[in-house]
Structure formats: C-alpha cells, structure tokens
Amino acid sequence: MRIIVYIGLPKTATTFYQKYLFPFLDKSEVMYNPPALMKKIGGFIYKEKMPNNKEISLFYDEINKISKNNVVKTLLIVNEHLGHREWSPDPKRGAELTKLLFPNAEIILCLRYQSDWLLSLYRHYMDVGGYGNIKRFLNYEINTFIPNKSRFYFNPHQNAIVSIDIFQANWPNYIDYFSSKYKREDINILFFEDFIRDKNLYTKKICNIIGVKNQIPQLDFDQPSNKGRSALTCKIIELKCSLFDCLGIIPRSISAWNLVIKNNKNKGSKFHILFLIIKYAPFQFFMTYFDKILYLDWDILLKSNLRKKLDYIYK
C-alpha cells in the first residue's frame, strides 16, 4: 500500500481540501484519514515525548491491518500539525515523528510566503480567542523582532496570549529537516501562491501526486473555508479584549460554546437557538457574521512598516 503524508502548513488551503476534496476522492483508489489511525497520530503529536517502542509497534499493527485489506489503494494522511506545534513551525520534531510513524511514505509540504503566512496566522489567532495587536503577536519590540521568544498561555481573563518567533518561519530549514529523513524525490513541495494563481491547476497537481486516476470531484472554490477575520474585526476584537481587561470581565469561552452547539445540534426551536446564542455565544461568533455583512480589510502589516521589515528578512 502506498502511503502519502500531506503535512501542510496551516493557512495553505489545507482545510479547504479536507472539506471539499479529500473525503470525496474515489474510495476504491484512496483511503483518507482512517479515524482510528488519526486518533493515534493526534495523541503522538500532542505528547511531549516521542512514542515508545510499544506504542510504535501497536501503530504499525494498525497500519498493517489497513494495508492487508487495501493493498492497491493509497493511504492519504493529512495533518498539518506534523510540521507545526501550537502556533509555531516545528519541522525538527515533525520530521522525526513522521519518519518514525511512516518510514516509507511520500511527503507533501505546502508553503506560503512568510510575511503573508504570518498575517494569515494572526487573523486566525484573532478568530479563536486571540488577544493583542499584530506587534505583540510577532514579538516586535523597540523596532526589532525578538528571536527565541515564542509563547502561548492564557491570561487571568482567559484570553489566549500568543507571540511567535518569526525566525522559525524558515522554509529552507523546514524542507531540510524533512529531506534529512526522506529521499528528495519522495518530497513534493507546493506553494500556496500557485493555488491563488490557478486553483484548478493546483488541485490537479495534488491529485496527480496522490495518484488519482478516476474523475476529480468538481470543486466550488467560492465555498467559505477557514477564512481569517478582516482587519476591521481584528481591530474590534483587540479593543474589546483591552476593555474587558480594564473592567475585569472574563470573556465567554469558545470551547464551551462549541460544546453547547454539539449538545443542541438539531434540537429545539429557532427561539431556543436564539436563546443559546444570546446566553453563550462568544464575541468571535458575532464577528464572523459581522464579516459576512461587511468585510472591511486592509494590510495590517503596514503598521510601523512591519511588512517592509519582514520582507527584508525573508527576501
């Protein structure tokens, strides 16, 4: 059985393909993200230590069981966190873990120009409970980007505090880690910018790598998928968090809201749903709909010439 591991990065259209392409590939050709296997992989990713011999042996047993019944199929594993930990790229551990789990796999890496990738990551951060402005997110202090200072924690008001080390967004280094574990011909490198230029051609390229021979599902590229918040709502969320901090107000929990949605799916009248929204919905829920009504955007990185300074580093 052929195995392909699609690693991402986040914010490179991975979620779009996970929603609208991969689950609909011909199941006689492709087996996509078997749940039992993905549960084990998720457990390995979030553990501090690498899997021990017993865990690896049980994992191989699971793969062998799948392979025995699907010899002619391609096993497609998609998990962008195999190269990304919390909010920062982690190719060293990612390459080691991927090689340990899938020693003979082919790899797909999806990259994006760093300045744009960081901005997209910030927009996503502000959508999932983020707090603070773009400078704090990028560890920009006293006219410089601070290295080796990435952090992720929750403040007393339950706002997620994230600052990333922009120097970890080193794509040659990222590729080198995986190249040190796999043959170069087994590593496929894609760029998000090619997706933007020609989405159909990019999709065909992915399907060719996977080995899809039958018809490719027709995709609607206008479907919403994991779109980050607009510059306006990022600013509104930032101001709201500062106000709540001053007043000592704890914001509504996004995870608690997700649980409410799960427990009340397909239950109750419209009035009941409205009651739940008023009582439990976090601020980000309302910002999502605000963006649907008015998506007012600008380049947040123009502030303090951040884009120019990032471009100087990455170009």
Side-chain angles (χ1 to χ4, degrees):
M1 182 176 64
R2 185 175 175 229
I3 299 176
I4 294 180
V5 183
Y6 185 117
I7 292 174
L9 291 165
K11 313 311 297 179
T12 58
T14 308
T15 301
F16 175 83
Y17 285 118
Q18 285 184 291
K19 280 187 177 181
Y20 303 116
L21 176 64
F22 299 142
F24 305 104
L25 294 175
D26 191 329
K27 290 176 176 55
S28 68
E29 292 186 321
V30 179
M31 175 175 282
Y32 164 64
N33 278 7
L37 209 59
M38 298 311 294
K39 185 177 180 180
K40 290 181 183 293
I41 293 170
F44 296 148
I45 287 172
Y46 293 107
K47 283 177 65 175
E48 287 300 321
K49 294 181 179 179
M50 297 292 276
N52 59 40
N53 290 338
K54 183 179 179 181
E55 290 171 324
I56 290 298
S57 178
L58 291 172
F59 185 78
Y60 288 168
D61 287 345
E62 189 73 34
I63 289 184
N64 290 334
K65 190 191 304 180
I66 292 171
S67 180
K68 190 179 293 185
N69 299 319
N70 300 277
V71 177
V72 298
K73 292 185 183 180
T74 294
L75 174 62
L76 175 62
I77 300 296
V78 182
N79 192 314
E80 58 196 18
H81 295 288
L82 279 167
H84 196 268
R85 193 168 173 83
E86 292 178 342
W87 288 90
S88 299
D90 189 3
K92 182 177 185 298
R93 186 181 188 279
E96 289 174 358
L97 180 58
T98 305
K99 182 65 175 180
L100 187 61
L101 299 179
F102 304 102
N104 300 309
E106 297 168 51
I107 305 298
I108 299 177
L109 302 177
C110 300
L111 306 176
R112 182 175 183 176
Y113 178 56
Q114 290 97 322
S115 299
D116 296 333
W117 180 74
L118 289 167
L119 176 56
S120 184
L121 203 62
Y122 174 72
R123 293 178 188 275
H124 179 65
Y125 163 64
M126 294 302 278
D127 190 36
V128 295
Y131 172 81
N133 59 33
I134 187 73
K135 287 184 178 181
R136 176 154 66 177
F137 182 75
L138 298 177
N139 264 320
Y140 184 79
E141 302 174 13
I142 319 174
N143 295 319
T144 190
F145 295 102
I146 309 299
N148 304 317
K149 196 185 172 185
S150 58
R151 57 184 178 169
F152 172 41
Y153 66 93
F154 290 91
N155 71 5
H157 296 132
Q158 296 303 303
N159 294 303
I161 306 299
V162 174
S163 295
I164 65 175
D165 179 0
I166 67 140
F167 298 99
Q168 289 182 343
N170 182 332
W171 301 160
N173 188 47
Y174 193 93
I175 294 168
D176 285 346
Y177 274 116
F178 282 93
S179 297
S180 70
K181 302 295 181 182
Y182 293 91
K183 295 177 184 176
R184 183 61 187 86
E185 59 265 28
D186 289 334
I187 299 175
N188 302 275
I189 301 171
L190 303 176
F191 295 95
F192 179 75
E193 288 74 16
D194 291 331
F195 171 80
I196 296 300
R197 273 190 287 271
D198 192 330
K199 295 178 177 65
N200 283 303
L201 184 61
Y202 187 88
T203 302
K204 288 178 182 176
K205 187 172 183 179
I206 289 176
C207 289
N208 286 337
I209 294 170
I210 295 170
V212 175
K213 295 182 177 63
N214 294 332
Q215 187 173 1
I216 298 171
Q218 191 68 35
L219 301 183
D220 178 2
F221 292 105
D222 293 327
Q223 288 278 7
S225 179
N226 208 25
K227 187 176 183 179
R229 295 281 62 84
S230 69
L232 177 59
T233 55
C234 283
K235 189 63 181 177
I236 293 171
I237 292 169
E238 178 192 334
L239 294 172
K240 167 258 176 186
C241 288
S242 297
L243 177 62
F244 275 33
D245 263 3
C246 290
L247 298 177
I249 300 173
I250 296 177
R252 290 177 177 178
S253 166
I254 294 175
S255 58
W257 168 244
N258 291 336
L259 189 61
V260 168
I261 293 294
K262 182 180 177 181
N263 292 337
N264 289 274
K265 194 173 183 180
N266 301 322
K267 293 180 182 178
S269 65
K270 292 181 180 179
F271 293 105
H272 177 65
I273 298 300
L274 181 60
F275 167 77
L276 293 176
I277 290 172
I278 294 170
K279 186 173 182 179
Y280 297 108
F283 192 70
Q284 285 79 0
F285 172 86
F286 300 101
M287 290 296 95
T288 298
Y289 283 91
F290 183 86
D291 267 346
K292 288 180 180 179
I293 298 168
L294 177 65
Y295 198 90
L296 187 57
D297 204 23
W298 60 84
D299 188 353
I300 301 171
L301 290 176
L302 293 179
K303 182 177 182 179
S304 301
N305 283 323
L306 291 175
R307 179 172 289 280
K308 185 176 180 180
K309 292 168 183 175
L310 287 169
D311 288 347
Y312 178 78
I313 292 169
Y314 296 128
K315 287 184 177 180

